[in-house]
């Protein structure tokens, strides 16, 4: 069986296909984080599948700004892995003031 590639631009080790009919939907982090409350956003982040990369977020808890990834949510507790940290720290959901997604 002979396969012939016609009309496909390629670079070194990389092929790109341009499809003018495909529509691109721009979902910025600002639109996602401002349309949900902090509790709803934490619930959505906790439902991400295990194989999905966890986004880096900015959490404001008790007037302190924390950067990290939400690892887990259990009942009224949040488990956050801080940026550059190896251990997970537990916080209470009542202390959470806001959540912003910085990098996905």
């Amino acid at each position: 069986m002979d396969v012939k590639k016609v009309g496909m631009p390629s670079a070194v080790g990389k092929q790109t296909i341009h499809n003018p009919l495909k529509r691109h939907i721009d979902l910025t982090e600002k639109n996602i984080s401002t349309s949900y409350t902090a509790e709803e956003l934490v619930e959505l982040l906790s439902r991400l599948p295990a194989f999905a990369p966890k986004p880096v977020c900015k959490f404001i808890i008790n007037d302190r700004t924390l950067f990290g990834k939400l690892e887990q949510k259990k009942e009224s507790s949040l488990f956050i892995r801080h940026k550059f940290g190896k251990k997970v720290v537990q916080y209470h959901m009542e202390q959470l003031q806001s959540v912003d997604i910085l990098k996905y």
Side-chain angles (χ1 to χ4, degrees):
M1 177 180 231
D2 214 11
V3 177
K4 188 175 183 183
K5 295 181 182 178
V6 178
M8 291 181 62
S10 64
V12 177
K14 181 178 167 184
Q15 293 183 354
T16 58
I17 299 173
H18 300 284
N19 187 354
L21 300 177
K22 188 183 237 185
R23 300 195 180 205
H24 179 69
I25 300 172
D26 187 23
L27 296 175
T28 61
E29 291 102 16
K30 189 170 186 179
N31 290 341
I32 292 172
S33 64
T34 57
S35 62
Y36 294 105
T37 64
E39 291 81 16
E40 291 172 338
L41 193 56
V42 165
E43 186 66 32
L44 289 172
L45 290 172
S46 67
R47 290 185 183 189
L48 285 174
F51 59 85
K54 297 185 185 328
V56 176
C57 299
K58 178 174 87 171
F59 299 93
I60 298 179
I61 298 175
N62 285 343
D63 296 326
R64 290 178 36 208
T65 302
L66 308 169
F67 295 95
K69 299 177 181 183
L70 179 70
E71 290 294 321
Q72 190 174 4
K73 177 188 176 266
K74 285 187 180 177
E75 298 170 6
S76 64
S77 296
L78 299 174
F79 295 92
I80 299 172
R81 184 179 306 273
H82 291 284
K83 199 171 181 184
F84 309 116
K86 293 186 179 181
K87 68 178 189 175
V88 177
V89 181
Q90 180 180 3
Y91 298 97
H92 293 288
M93 190 70 174
E94 298 86 30
Q95 299 172 340
L96 181 68
Q97 295 170 341
S98 71
V99 179
D100 292 323
I101 298 174
L102 300 177
K103 181 180 175 186
Y104 190 76

PDB file of all heavy atoms in Angstrom, residues 2 9 13 23 25 34-35 42 45-46 56 61 68 84 86-87 95 101:
ATOM      1  N   ASP A   2       0.650   2.113  -0.936  1.00  0.00           N
ATOM      2  CA  ASP A   2       1.456   3.311  -1.094  1.00  0.00           C
ATOM      3  C   ASP A   2       0.646   4.522  -0.650  1.00  0.00           C
ATOM      4  O   ASP A   2      -0.451   4.761  -1.147  1.00  0.00           O
ATOM      5  CB  ASP A   2       1.844   3.449  -2.568  1.00  0.00           C
ATOM      6  CG  ASP A   2       3.203   4.056  -2.748  1.00  0.00           C
ATOM      7  OD1 ASP A   2       3.923   4.174  -1.747  1.00  0.00           O
ATOM      8  OD2 ASP A   2       3.533   4.408  -3.895  1.00  0.00           O
ATOM      9  N   PRO A   9       1.882  21.278   4.287  1.00  0.00           N
ATOM     10  CA  PRO A   9       3.146  21.929   4.641  1.00  0.00           C
ATOM     11  C   PRO A   9       3.757  21.250   5.859  1.00  0.00           C
ATOM     12  O   PRO A   9       3.054  20.799   6.752  1.00  0.00           O
ATOM     13  CB  PRO A   9       2.734  23.359   4.961  1.00  0.00           C
ATOM     14  CG  PRO A   9       1.300  23.271   5.333  1.00  0.00           C
ATOM     15  CD  PRO A   9       0.743  22.124   4.551  1.00  0.00           C
ATOM     16  N   GLY A  13      10.387  17.594  11.429  1.00  0.00           N
ATOM     17  CA  GLY A  13       9.793  16.759  12.458  1.00  0.00           C
ATOM     18  C   GLY A  13       8.416  17.195  12.897  1.00  0.00           C
ATOM     19  O   GLY A  13       7.889  16.701  13.877  1.00  0.00           O
ATOM     20  N   ARG A  23     -13.365  26.625  13.546  1.00  0.00           N
ATOM     21  CA  ARG A  23     -13.539  27.860  14.304  1.00  0.00           C
ATOM     22  C   ARG A  23     -12.802  27.764  15.618  1.00  0.00           C
ATOM     23  O   ARG A  23     -12.826  26.745  16.275  1.00  0.00           O
ATOM     24  CB  ARG A  23     -14.996  28.135  14.534  1.00  0.00           C
ATOM     25  CG  ARG A  23     -15.715  28.281  13.218  1.00  0.00           C
ATOM     26  CD  ARG A  23     -17.027  28.873  13.387  1.00  0.00           C
ATOM     27  NE  ARG A  23     -17.599  28.948  12.041  1.00  0.00           N
ATOM     28  CZ  ARG A  23     -18.499  29.787  11.710  1.00  0.00           C
ATOM     29  NH1 ARG A  23     -18.974  30.608  12.581  1.00  0.00           N
ATOM     30  NH2 ARG A  23     -18.953  29.808  10.489  1.00  0.00           N
ATOM     31  N   ILE A  25     -12.428  29.111  19.434  1.00  0.00           N
ATOM     32  CA  ILE A  25     -13.123  29.782  20.520  1.00  0.00           C
ATOM     33  C   ILE A  25     -12.085  30.190  21.539  1.00  0.00           C
ATOM     34  O   ILE A  25     -11.349  29.354  22.049  1.00  0.00           O
ATOM     35  CB  ILE A  25     -14.172  28.863  21.156  1.00  0.00           C
ATOM     36  CG1 ILE A  25     -15.203  28.456  20.110  1.00  0.00           C
ATOM     37  CG2 ILE A  25     -14.844  29.537  22.336  1.00  0.00           C
ATOM     38  CD1 ILE A  25     -16.158  27.399  20.580  1.00  0.00           C
ATOM     39  N   THR A  34     -13.945  35.042  36.356  1.00  0.00           N
ATOM     40  CA  THR A  34     -14.877  36.070  36.786  1.00  0.00           C
ATOM     41  C   THR A  34     -16.325  35.631  36.670  1.00  0.00           C
ATOM     42  O   THR A  34     -17.193  36.247  37.282  1.00  0.00           O
ATOM     43  CB  THR A  34     -14.684  37.369  35.983  1.00  0.00           C
ATOM     44  OG1 THR A  34     -14.840  37.080  34.602  1.00  0.00           O
ATOM     45  CG2 THR A  34     -13.343  37.988  36.265  1.00  0.00           C
ATOM     46  N   SER A  35     -16.612  34.577  35.943  1.00  0.00           N
ATOM     47  CA  SER A  35     -17.992  34.154  35.780  1.00  0.00           C
ATOM     48  C   SER A  35     -18.446  33.200  36.880  1.00  0.00           C
ATOM     49  O   SER A  35     -19.614  32.884  36.964  1.00  0.00           O
ATOM     50  CB  SER A  35     -18.186  33.511  34.409  1.00  0.00           C
ATOM     51  OG  SER A  35     -17.385  32.361  34.299  1.00  0.00           O
ATOM     52  N   VAL A  42     -13.612  26.412  42.805  1.00  0.00           N
ATOM     53  CA  VAL A  42     -12.917  25.342  43.524  1.00  0.00           C
ATOM     54  C   VAL A  42     -13.565  23.993  43.218  1.00  0.00           C
ATOM     55  O   VAL A  42     -12.879  22.988  43.017  1.00  0.00           O
ATOM     56  CB  VAL A  42     -12.907  25.627  45.043  1.00  0.00           C
ATOM     57  CG1 VAL A  42     -12.525  24.399  45.840  1.00  0.00           C
ATOM     58  CG2 VAL A  42     -11.955  26.758  45.353  1.00  0.00           C
ATOM     59  N   LEU A  45     -12.435  22.973  39.733  1.00  0.00           N
ATOM     60  CA  LEU A  45     -11.031  22.559  39.733  1.00  0.00           C
ATOM     61  C   LEU A  45     -10.847  21.200  40.395  1.00  0.00           C
ATOM     62  O   LEU A  45      -9.989  20.413  39.992  1.00  0.00           O
ATOM     63  CB  LEU A  45     -10.166  23.600  40.440  1.00  0.00           C
ATOM     64  CG  LEU A  45      -9.985  24.934  39.722  1.00  0.00           C
ATOM     65  CD1 LEU A  45      -9.273  25.921  40.630  1.00  0.00           C
ATOM     66  CD2 LEU A  45      -9.234  24.749  38.427  1.00  0.00           C
ATOM     67  N   SER A  46     -11.651  20.907  41.401  1.00  0.00           N
ATOM     68  CA  SER A  46     -11.521  19.621  42.083  1.00  0.00           C
ATOM     69  C   SER A  46     -12.058  18.470  41.242  1.00  0.00           C
ATOM     70  O   SER A  46     -11.716  17.311  41.482  1.00  0.00           O
ATOM     71  CB  SER A  46     -12.232  19.657  43.432  1.00  0.00           C
ATOM     72  OG  SER A  46     -13.627  19.769  43.250  1.00  0.00           O
ATOM     73  N   VAL A  56      -2.164  26.559  37.801  1.00  0.00           N
ATOM     74  CA  VAL A  56      -1.599  27.356  38.883  1.00  0.00           C
ATOM     75  C   VAL A  56      -2.604  28.472  39.182  1.00  0.00           C
ATOM     76  O   VAL A  56      -3.051  29.173  38.280  1.00  0.00           O
ATOM     77  CB  VAL A  56      -0.238  27.958  38.490  1.00  0.00           C
ATOM     78  CG1 VAL A  56       0.289  28.871  39.576  1.00  0.00           C
ATOM     79  CG2 VAL A  56       0.755  26.848  38.197  1.00  0.00           C
ATOM     80  N   ILE A  61      -6.662  33.711  51.067  1.00  0.00           N
ATOM     81  CA  ILE A  61      -7.196  33.045  52.248  1.00  0.00           C
ATOM     82  C   ILE A  61      -6.794  33.876  53.460  1.00  0.00           C
ATOM     83  O   ILE A  61      -5.600  34.089  53.707  1.00  0.00           O
ATOM     84  CB  ILE A  61      -6.652  31.607  52.367  1.00  0.00           C
ATOM     85  CG1 ILE A  61      -7.084  30.791  51.150  1.00  0.00           C
ATOM     86  CG2 ILE A  61      -7.110  30.954  53.656  1.00  0.00           C
ATOM     87  CD1 ILE A  61      -6.514  29.401  51.085  1.00  0.00           C
ATOM     88  N   GLY A  68      -0.477  28.456  44.098  1.00  0.00           N
ATOM     89  CA  GLY A  68      -0.313  27.016  44.112  1.00  0.00           C
ATOM     90  C   GLY A  68      -1.363  26.321  43.265  1.00  0.00           C
ATOM     91  O   GLY A  68      -2.087  26.944  42.498  1.00  0.00           O
ATOM     92  N   PHE A  84       6.374  25.699  44.001  1.00  0.00           N
ATOM     93  CA  PHE A  84       7.718  25.256  44.354  1.00  0.00           C
ATOM     94  C   PHE A  84       7.743  24.436  45.643  1.00  0.00           C
ATOM     95  O   PHE A  84       8.806  24.190  46.190  1.00  0.00           O
ATOM     96  CB  PHE A  84       8.696  26.440  44.487  1.00  0.00           C
ATOM     97  CG  PHE A  84       8.682  27.349  43.300  1.00  0.00           C
ATOM     98  CD1 PHE A  84       8.277  28.660  43.417  1.00  0.00           C
ATOM     99  CD2 PHE A  84       9.059  26.888  42.054  1.00  0.00           C
ATOM    100  CE1 PHE A  84       8.265  29.504  42.324  1.00  0.00           C
ATOM    101  CE2 PHE A  84       9.038  27.723  40.950  1.00  0.00           C
ATOM    102  CZ  PHE A  84       8.642  29.028  41.094  1.00  0.00           C
ATOM    103  N   LYS A  86       6.735  20.955  48.038  1.00  0.00           N
ATOM    104  CA  LYS A  86       6.573  19.525  47.863  1.00  0.00           C
ATOM    105  C   LYS A  86       5.462  18.959  48.736  1.00  0.00           C
ATOM    106  O   LYS A  86       4.971  17.887  48.489  1.00  0.00           O
ATOM    107  CB  LYS A  86       7.879  18.800  48.179  1.00  0.00           C
ATOM    108  CG  LYS A  86       8.963  19.128  47.179  1.00  0.00           C
ATOM    109  CD  LYS A  86      10.194  18.313  47.417  1.00  0.00           C
ATOM    110  CE  LYS A  86      11.230  18.667  46.371  1.00  0.00           C
ATOM    111  NZ  LYS A  86      12.443  17.899  46.528  1.00  0.00           N
ATOM    112  N   LYS A  87       5.073  19.701  49.782  1.00  0.00           N
ATOM    113  CA  LYS A  87       4.029  19.168  50.632  1.00  0.00           C
ATOM    114  C   LYS A  87       2.724  19.909  50.398  1.00  0.00           C
ATOM    115  O   LYS A  87       2.697  21.046  49.932  1.00  0.00           O
ATOM    116  CB  LYS A  87       4.432  19.238  52.097  1.00  0.00           C
ATOM    117  CG  LYS A  87       4.535  20.617  52.680  1.00  0.00           C
ATOM    118  CD  LYS A  87       4.881  20.526  54.144  1.00  0.00           C
ATOM    119  CE  LYS A  87       4.777  21.906  54.781  1.00  0.00           C
ATOM    120  NZ  LYS A  87       4.976  21.843  56.205  1.00  0.00           N
ATOM    121  N   GLN A  95     -12.416  30.024  55.055  1.00  0.00           N
ATOM    122  CA  GLN A  95     -11.385  31.058  55.029  1.00  0.00           C
ATOM    123  C   GLN A  95     -11.111  31.584  53.622  1.00  0.00           C
ATOM    124  O   GLN A  95     -10.484  32.626  53.449  1.00  0.00           O
ATOM    125  CB  GLN A  95     -10.083  30.507  55.612  1.00  0.00           C
ATOM    126  CG  GLN A  95     -10.195  30.067  57.042  1.00  0.00           C
ATOM    127  CD  GLN A  95      -8.941  29.337  57.518  1.00  0.00           C
ATOM    128  OE1 GLN A  95      -8.156  28.850  56.708  1.00  0.00           O
ATOM    129  NE2 GLN A  95      -8.772  29.272  58.823  1.00  0.00           N
ATOM    130  N   ILE A 101      -7.390  31.886  38.289  1.00  0.00           N
ATOM    131  CA  ILE A 101      -6.539  30.979  37.535  1.00  0.00           C
ATOM    132  C   ILE A 101      -5.482  31.811  36.833  1.00  0.00           C
ATOM    133  O   ILE A 101      -5.801  32.712  36.068  1.00  0.00           O
ATOM    134  CB  ILE A 101      -7.350  30.162  36.518  1.00  0.00           C
ATOM    135  CG1 ILE A 101      -8.376  29.300  37.237  1.00  0.00           C
ATOM    136  CG2 ILE A 101      -6.426  29.310  35.658  1.00  0.00           C
ATOM    137  CD1 ILE A 101      -9.302  28.565  36.327  1.00  0.00           C
TER     138      ILE A 101
END
